[in-house]
Amino acid sequence: MKSKRVVSIIMATTVTILPVLPHNVSYGACNHNWILDSSSSWEATCTDEGRRWYDCSLCGDYKTEKVPATGIHKWSAWEVYSNATCTEQGEERRECSECYKTEKKTIPATGVHKWTEWKPDSYLCEDGKDTRYCEDCYKEETRARKGDGSHLWSDWELYKKPDCLNKGQNYRHCYNCYTYEYEDIPADENLHEWSPWYAADEATALNDGITRRYCYTCNEIEEKITKRLKASVTLSTKKKTLKAGKSFTLRIKKYTYGDEVAKYASSNKKVVAVDSYGVVKAKKKGKAKITVKMKSGCQAVCNIIVK
């Protein structure tokens, strides 16, 4: 029967308690049967010794033996630590998984530049040069470039309007080099620059008017008829009471521009008389209407009562 070792730590002193031997068996007399105790053993590495621990299955004794360091590293795969460039060396590294020793090796410089795209220094439609540089070492290269004359034109825009006598112009420009181009717009006899309409003859209650405008450029004149004004007339009073023998002047309060009085008329001349100036004279008791007639045809009435 196998007995286990018991190790106790008391006041920093290690005491080994020996196992109880089987009946009639002593350490010196035991024909040991050594069995590897893998839980108490460890393997040798590239730099460190290993240890094998054996227990006797008969008496419980044990022994150990050293396993020399292997001296053989367990290397990982090589990994790029820094890339090589056109002018600078790169580096690869690998590491031992047991002792963590690191090995390095150089990656030669490629000698191949990592160029950017060519970039023009000015406009493609003009002569100039192109430039590029290496993204790794920043070396710069230039080359001459011949302008291709292919302007990047804007849309045509109006520069000068044409009119009835003069041609106009459109223009456009190159977005790259700002060269300008112009094209003519033919003159158009219908493109007059008209003045505002103005009254040549004003419309009145009796006559149509005339309005005109003229072209500032060629002095052509246009006319149009303005219809005569709608006529109306208003008296200063619509009703008047008089004593026989009295008189008053019937006045016009308001009338349409250009109109004139054609006549004054009494509906009953025996009661009220009126002259061509609108002077009304009461003759005897009664009622009459005085009508003012204008040349435009409109009229107004005043009722007269004579007491």
Side-chain angles (χ1 to χ4, degrees):
M1 179 179 178
K2 182 179 178 181
S3 298
K4 293 293 183 179
R5 294 171 291 105
V6 179
V7 179
S8 300
I9 300 175
I10 301 174
M11 297 298 289
T13 301
T14 301
V15 179
T16 302
I17 301 176
L18 296 177
V20 178
L21 295 173
H23 185 63
N24 292 328
V25 176
S26 66
Y27 285 116
C30 180
N31 187 15
H32 298 296
N33 180 30
W34 298 113
I35 297 174
L36 178 66
D37 184 352
S38 59
S39 64
S40 299
S41 302
W42 58 88
E43 295 296 326
T45 68
C46 51
T47 55
D48 296 323
E49 294 178 340
R51 181 77 64 177
R52 290 194 180 94
W53 188 295
Y54 297 93
D55 290 320
C56 176
S57 62
L58 300 176
C59 69
D61 197 2
Y62 70 93
K63 71 176 181 178
T64 62
E65 63 182 24
K66 294 180 180 179
V67 180
T70 65
I72 301 172
H73 295 288
K74 290 186 177 181
W75 294 112
S76 64
W78 286 102
E79 293 184 5
V80 176
Y81 180 74
S82 60
N83 291 312
T85 67
C86 49
T87 56
E88 300 290 335
Q89 294 179 338
E91 185 178 270
E92 285 185 313
R93 293 182 180 182
R94 66 178 181 176
E95 186 178 74
C96 174
S97 61
E98 293 181 338
C99 68
Y100 303 105
K101 178 180 180 180
T102 300
E103 271 193 350
K104 304 175 184 179
K105 69 179 181 180
T106 299
I107 304 173
T110 64
V112 179
H113 294 290
K114 188 177 180 182
W115 295 112
T116 61
E117 296 292 329
W118 287 104
K119 184 177 180 181
D121 67 330
S122 57
Y123 313 113
L124 297 179
C125 44
E126 294 183 326
D127 292 346
K129 65 180 181 179
D130 295 329
T131 304
R132 68 178 181 176
Y133 68 91
C134 174
E135 293 179 343
D136 289 332
C137 70
Y138 300 102
K139 178 180 179 180
E140 187 175 270
E141 279 190 348
T142 59
R143 67 181 182 185
R145 176 181 45 76
K146 189 71 175 175
D148 59 12
S150 58
H151 297 288
L152 181 60
W153 293 113
S154 66
D155 293 332
W156 287 103
E157 296 183 48
L158 181 65
Y159 178 69
K160 180 183 178 183
K161 292 194 302 183
D163 55 35
C164 50
L165 294 179
N166 305 300
K167 63 185 179 182
Q169 279 188 324
N170 287 327
Y171 77 97
R172 65 180 182 175
H173 68 273
C174 173
Y175 284 117
N176 290 331
C177 66
Y178 291 95
T179 296
Y180 280 79
E181 274 193 352
Y182 296 86
E183 67 173 6
D184 291 337
I185 307 171
D188 187 338
E189 61 182 10
N190 296 312
L191 295 176
H192 297 289
E193 188 178 358
W194 293 111
S195 69
W197 288 99
Y198 64 93
D201 291 309
E202 291 186 302
T204 68
L206 301 178
N207 300 300
D208 293 337
I210 297 176
T211 56
R212 289 179 183 153
R213 66 177 181 175
Y214 63 91
C215 175
Y216 289 121
T217 305
C218 67
N219 294 319
E220 182 173 332
I221 295 175
E222 278 192 347
E223 292 184 349
K224 63 181 180 181
I225 301 300
T226 305
K227 291 184 177 181
R228 65 180 181 173
L229 305 176
K230 184 177 181 181
S232 64
V233 61
T234 303
L235 299 174
S236 58
T237 181
K238 294 182 179 181
K239 186 177 181 181
K240 186 74 173 177
T241 301
L242 296 170
K243 291 181 179 182
K246 298 293 182 180
S247 64
F248 85 101
T249 300
L250 182 60
R251 300 185 184 283
I252 296 174
K253 182 179 180 181
K254 185 178 180 181
Y255 65 96
T256 304
Y257 173 71
D259 209 351
E260 297 178 9
V261 177
K263 68 176 180 177
Y264 293 91
S266 174
S267 64
N268 191 340
K269 295 180 180 180
K270 294 181 180 181
V271 175
V272 176
V274 64
D275 63 15
S276 59
Y277 298 102
V279 179
V280 178
K281 185 174 181 181
K283 293 183 175 181
K284 67 175 184 178
K285 291 182 179 181
K287 295 180 179 180
K289 293 182 178 180
I290 302 300
T291 302
V292 179
K293 294 184 178 179
M294 307 298 287
K295 287 185 178 181
S296 64
C298 67
Q299 59 185 25
V301 175
C302 180
N303 295 303
I304 307 297
I305 299 173
V306 181
K307 292 185 178 181

